[in-house]
Amino acid sequence: MEKLINEFSIGLFFWQIILFVLLLLLLWKFAWKPILRAVSEREEGIKDALAAAEDAKKEMQNVSADNDRLLQEARAEREAMLKEAREIREKMVADAKILAQEEGDKIIKQAQLSIEGEKKAAIADIKSQMATLSVEIAEKVLQHQLENKDKQLKLVDQLVDEIKLK
């Protein structure tokens, strides 16, 4: 029986691993690509903004005051965009991790409930088999003891005496 439970646990562990890997693959296929695409597009936007700032810098080289002001604005904008892009990327990664953790927890919980149900069914089956076996043993013992008529009368007398004492 213990061997059956160990084999069941190993099989259940195997399927849990398979389900978890499938979940990771689904997340990789459907979640990571859009996240990376959004980050890439954002980086392209930032690069475009930096290119525009550099073009403006070249045009305004003749006027040093305007050049300094435009350069400072471009740097501040770039930093803000980079910061925003990093925050978006970090949020998307954190959200994906939370989703994966929740799905993993859900799968584990379902597996635990399944194991518990199987365990209860196995215990109930064992109890049923034990009761049947006990009845059969008692039947055989009584049958053996009551084969002799003298033994039967003696047993009846003992039982009557016990009932009288109560």
Side-chain angles (χ1 to χ4, degrees), residues 30 83 147 166:
F30 295 109
K83 181 179 178 184
E147 284 179 350
K166 289 183 180 183

Side-chain angles (χ1 to χ4, degrees), residues 16 32 36 62 134 159:
Q16 285 178 342
W32 288 106
L36 293 176
N62 295 334
S134 296
L159 292 174

Side-chain angles (χ1 to χ4, degrees), residues 66-80:
D66 289 340
N67 185 23
D68 290 339
R69 183 181 51 82
L70 287 175
L71 184 59
Q72 289 174 356
E73 287 175 8
R75 286 181 180 161
E77 184 178 341
R78 182 190 71 188
E79 290 301 320

Side-chain angles (χ1 to χ4, degrees), residues 3-16 115:
K3 183 179 179 184
L4 177 64
I5 291 174
N6 285 338
E7 288 178 45
F8 179 74
S9 297
I10 290 170
L12 183 60
F13 179 73
F14 170 76
W15 285 109
Q16 285 178 342
I115 289 170

Side-chain angles (χ1 to χ4, degrees), residues 81-136:
M81 287 180 167
L82 287 172
K83 181 179 178 184
E84 183 180 343
R86 280 191 291 269
E87 289 172 356
I88 289 172
R89 183 190 68 209
E90 289 171 1
K91 184 180 183 317
M92 288 179 167
V93 168
D95 289 347
K97 284 181 182 178
I98 289 170
L99 179 63
Q101 181 65 38
E102 288 173 354
E103 287 298 319
D105 290 346
K106 183 193 275 185
I107 289 170
I108 290 171
K109 189 171 221 167
Q110 288 173 347
Q112 287 172 340
L113 290 174
S114 175
I115 289 170
E116 189 64 31
E118 291 293 328
K119 180 180 173 184
K120 287 179 182 178
I123 290 173
D125 186 44
I126 290 171
K127 285 181 181 180
S128 173
Q129 289 177 4
M130 298 251 327
T132 303
L133 186 60
S134 296
V135 169
E136 288 176 4

Side-chain angles (χ1 to χ4, degrees), residues 158-166:
Q158 283 178 344
L159 292 174
V160 169
D161 289 341
E162 286 178 18
I163 292 173
K164 286 181 183 178
L165 292 177
K166 289 183 180 183

Side-chain angles (χ1 to χ4, degrees), residues 10-29:
I10 290 170
L12 183 60
F13 179 73
F14 170 76
W15 285 109
Q16 285 178 342
I17 293 296
I18 294 296
L19 289 174
F20 186 72
V21 168
L22 287 174
L23 176 66
L24 288 178
L25 289 174
L26 286 173
L27 286 175
W28 176 256
K29 183 171 183 169

